[in-house]
């Protein structure tokens, strides 16, 4: 302890195992991120819910206004909440991680902080934030009786985790690539806008013409979203997905992401 | 013990790869104080970064059996929107130590008072340096990295830093980069002179300072002349 004239025995800081250190560091980074992003006054935190809520309200309004045209029986609020939350997951994780290294570079002077920790902290925070907004919105709309209870909660959870995994793998890959090639960091936002309309935010796969559906289902996030939606209101829709494909894709993406991050780790040389 | 074996480090510049350190072998034993001299760009800070683990060597290995500090009084890790207290809390968290007693120490040592609850972004550079030094002293390392530091704060603060570092932490290893002969001479047991990517080891300060001056192009004709000039 400082200031009492005594110092600790040699090697004391080296004795914890790496899992303990990892958890500690990621936790500390996560709290730091939380504070710097949302600040002390909790108004910043509210935007987490307000933004998706506005989206859901607008979609619901348009849908209800055009009910006479499409005559569909899908529970629209459930459709909008699941769609937008899934979009938040796979779009925000990569954008938070691309360039995260630059603002945290000086932290690498602490022996136990690694580049991977920086990314994991952001991924976890994003996952927690999106999940919180998903759950809070669902409960809110449920109490307003706009939203039915999920038919299979476990399947919804499974779909959500698959989406989160996809987001994490994508985030690591985009982050690793953007450290290697600046241009990737800049191209990701426009690219994510391109993906948005075909990723199922605003349609279910069954509504597409078969040819187009086949192509769209190459997107893992659409598969995961279909699975999630089937868990929520499967009796009202025909879902199309291939879980094996999503898992294989996620595995490959995670592997690519981790190896790219490792390369970054070996090459970092600034500050 | 920290052991560097055949360590080299290359950096990519516009003119291609440049080797900043080449084939460094160095052992740092517990409790040793090593002074580092060399002209700007000779690779001193690079060595500090490699030992701290902020960067990896291009070639060679670094073994560490001692815990190594971040460069002392380093202010770069502060986040401007976080308060001084938040920054202390962050450090305590990543090192897994209790916050309360360390915060009391920082409060007392840094003399920052109520400013500890203000964002670091509002601090003057002197205040930042005081906070950074105080935080550096809250974690007990086996080896401290010191890259030109004690020049912060007023006379009184500098003296307190000296007591904290060189008296209370007498038994710890230290790596000290400095251009000041007054500072290095009394403090260190061994000296490293950096020159064009390699290091020379010396035990005698007069010898190493003489050669250091020569690499700067300010060579003295003899050691006696140098010693006279140093007084």
């Amino acid at each position: 302890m400082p200031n009492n004239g005594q110092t600790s025995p040699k090697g004391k800081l080296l004795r914890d195992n790496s899992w303990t250190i990892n958890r500690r560091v990621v936790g500390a980074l996560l709290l730091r991120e939380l504070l710097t992003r949302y600040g002390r006054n909790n108004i910043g935190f509210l935007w987490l819910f307000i933004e998706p809520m506005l989206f859901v309200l607008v979609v619901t309004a348009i849908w209800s206004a055009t009910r006479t045209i499409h005559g569909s029986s899908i529970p629209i609020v459930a459709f909008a909440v699941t769609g937008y939350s899934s979009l938040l997951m796979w779009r925000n994780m990569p954008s938070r991680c691309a360039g995260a290294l630059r603002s945290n570079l000086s932290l690498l002077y602490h022996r136990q902080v690694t580049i991977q920790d920086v990314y994991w902290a952001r991924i976890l925070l994003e996952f927690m934030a999106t999940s919180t907004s998903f759950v809070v919105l669902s409960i809110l709309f449920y109490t307003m009786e706009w939203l039915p209870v999920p038919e299979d909660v476990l399947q919804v959870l499974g779909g959500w985790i698959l989406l989160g995994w996809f987001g994490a793998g994508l985030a690591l890959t985009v982050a690793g690539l953007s450290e290697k090639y600046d241009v990737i960091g800049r191209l990701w936002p426009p690219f994510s806008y391109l993906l948005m309309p075909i990723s199922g935010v605003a349609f279910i796969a069954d509504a597409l013409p078969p040819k187009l559906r086949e192509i769209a289902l190459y997107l893992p996030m659409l598969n995961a979203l279909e699975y999630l939606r089937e868990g929520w209101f499967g009796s009202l829709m025909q879902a199309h997905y291939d879980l094996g494909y999503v898992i294989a894709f996620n595995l490959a993406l995670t592997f690519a992401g981790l190896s790219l991050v490792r390369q970054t780790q070996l090459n970092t040389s600034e500050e | 013990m920290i052991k560097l074996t055949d360590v080299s480090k290359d950096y990519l510049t516009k003119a291609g790869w440049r080797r900043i350190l080449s084939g460094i072998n160095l052992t740092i034993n517990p409790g040793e104080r090593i002074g580092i001299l060399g002209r700007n760009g000779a690779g001193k800070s690079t060595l500090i970064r490699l030992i701290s683990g902020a960067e990896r060597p291009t070639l060679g290995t670094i073994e560490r059996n001692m815990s190594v500090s971040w460069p002392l009084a380093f202010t770069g890790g502060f986040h401007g929107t976080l308060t001084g207290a938040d920054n202390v809390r962050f450090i305590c968290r990543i090192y897994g130590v209790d916050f309360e007693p360390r915060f009391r120490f920082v409060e007392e040592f840094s003399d920052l008072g109520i400013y500890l609850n203000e964002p670091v972004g509002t601090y003057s550079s002197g205040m930042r340096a005081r906070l950074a030094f105080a935080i550096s002293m809250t974690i007990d390392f086996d080896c401290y990295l010191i890259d030109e530091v004690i020049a912060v704060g007023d006379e009184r603060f500098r003296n307190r830093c000296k007591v904290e570092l060189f008296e209370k932490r007498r038994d710890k290893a230290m790596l000290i980069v400095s251009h000041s002969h007054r500072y290095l001479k009394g403090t260190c047991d061994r000296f490293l002179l950096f020159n064009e990517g390699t290091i020379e080891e010396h035990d005698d300060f007069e010898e190493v300072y003489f050669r250091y001056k020569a690499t700067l192009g300010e060579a003295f004709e003899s050691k006696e002349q140098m010693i006279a000039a140093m007084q």
Side-chain angles (χ1 to χ4, degrees), chain A residues 105-169:
Chain A
L105 211 50
S106 50
L107 296 180
L108 299 181
Y109 273 112
H110 301 291
R111 277 284 302 139
Q112 62 279 62
V113 180
T114 64
I115 294 172
Q116 247 198 66
D117 295 332
V118 170
Y119 291 141
W120 279 119
R122 293 209 169 187
I123 287 171
L124 270 179
L125 179 59
E126 213 47 52
F127 183 79
M128 283 158 54
T130 318
S131 300
T132 313
S133 103
F134 185 49
V135 170
V136 169
L137 280 185
S138 301
I139 292 174
L140 186 74
F141 286 127
Y142 169 74
T143 54
M144 291 161 72
E145 293 181 5
W146 286 16
L147 187 76
V149 182
E151 292 168 11
D152 183 346
V153 177
L154 276 184
Q155 189 175 341
V156 170
L157 189 69
W160 189 247
I161 288 171
L162 279 178
L163 275 169
W165 183 12
F166 173 73

Side-chain angles (χ1 to χ4, degrees), chain A residues 187-267:
Chain A
L187 284 182
W188 167 248
F191 188 63
S192 71
Y193 284 116
L194 278 179
L195 284 176
M196 204 159 72
I198 51 172
S199 65
V201 176
F203 65 81
I204 57 170
D206 203 47
L208 295 176
K211 272 262 159 58
L212 189 59
R213 185 196 309 151
E214 214 171 283
I215 299 171
L217 280 173
Y218 277 107
L219 290 173
M221 57 279 212
L222 179 56
N223 286 270
L225 180 56
E226 284 281 304
Y227 182 69
L228 192 156
R229 279 175 173 165
E230 189 188 51
W232 205 302
F233 46 87
S235 59
L236 301 171
M237 70 179 277
Q238 171 65 46
H240 300 266
Y241 56 79
D242 179 351
L243 285 189
Y245 173 71
V246 180
I247 291 172
F249 199 102
N250 281 357
L251 272 175
L253 205 57
T254 310
F255 183 75
L258 286 174
S259 71
L260 280 164
V261 169
R262 182 168 158 74
Q263 286 174 41
T264 313
Q265 212 142 325
L266 294 176
N267 290 334

Side-chain angles (χ1 to χ4, degrees), chain B residues 65-219:
Chain B
N65 297 319
M66 301 195 285
S67 58
V68 183
S69 79
W70 65 88
L72 216 66
F74 175 64
T75 56
F78 291 153
H79 200 293
T81 61
L82 292 182
T83 66
D86 286 336
N87 279 293
V88 179
R89 207 171 276 124
F90 174 72
I91 295 289
C92 289
R93 277 192 192 121
I94 62 173
Y95 285 91
V97 296
D98 289 340
F99 169 70
E100 278 304 324
R102 283 167 181 83
F103 183 67
R104 277 199 299 278
F105 169 79
V106 170
E107 218 173 8
E108 187 218 288
F109 192 85
S110 69
D111 250 343
L112 285 169
I114 55 161
Y115 290 103
L116 277 174
N117 291 319
E118 298 293 323
V120 171
T122 63
Y123 287 19
S124 69
S125 61
M127 287 161 73
R128 269 167 193 254
R130 290 212 310 261
L131 176 67
F133 191 90
I135 292 181
S136 300
M137 289 298 112
T138 59
I139 312 288
D140 267 323
F141 294 103
D142 302 327
C143 176
Y144 287 85
L145 305 176
I146 304 165
D147 198 348
E148 291 281 3
V149 57
I150 310 297
V152 299
D154 51 25
E155 186 74 34
R156 185 173 143 246
F157 185 73
R158 279 206 294 272
N159 280 332
R160 280 169 51 194
C161 289
K162 242 178 209 164
V163 171
E164 198 61 43
L165 196 57
F166 297 121
E167 290 176 24
K168 290 193 184 161
R169 284 172 178 68
R170 202 176 302 115
D171 56 333
K172 305 294 186 186
M174 291 178 194
L175 230 69
I176 306 172
V177 176
S178 181
H179 294 283
S180 150
H181 60 80
R182 281 190 191 84
Y183 192 53
L184 285 176
K185 190 180 174 187
T187 343
C188 299
D189 331 310
R190 278 165 70 195
F191 302 92
L192 305 176
L193 175 60
F194 278 69
N195 198 10
E196 307 194 344
T198 59
I199 51 174
E200 288 170 29
E201 284 218 41
H202 294 273
D203 289 331
D204 178 45
F205 182 74
E206 262 93 44
E207 175 70 23
V208 72
Y209 200 67
F210 186 70
R211 298 186 55 100
Y212 165 63
K213 281 293 186 190
T215 66
L216 288 181
E218 302 168 8

Side-chain angles (χ1 to χ4, degrees), chain B residues 3-43:
Chain B
K3 194 167 180 220
L4 285 77
T5 314
D6 296 323
V7 167
S8 297
K9 181 71 183 172
D10 298 343
Y11 286 111
L12 191 58
T13 64
K14 289 213 176 74
W17 287 95
R18 274 201 63 199
R19 180 148 289 191
I20 300 297
L21 294 175
S22 93
I24 305 288
N25 287 294
L26 175 67
T27 304
I28 304 162
N29 296 308
E32 257 182 344
R33 290 187 189 164
I34 303 180
I36 297 181
L37 292 124
R39 49 194 291 184
N40 289 330

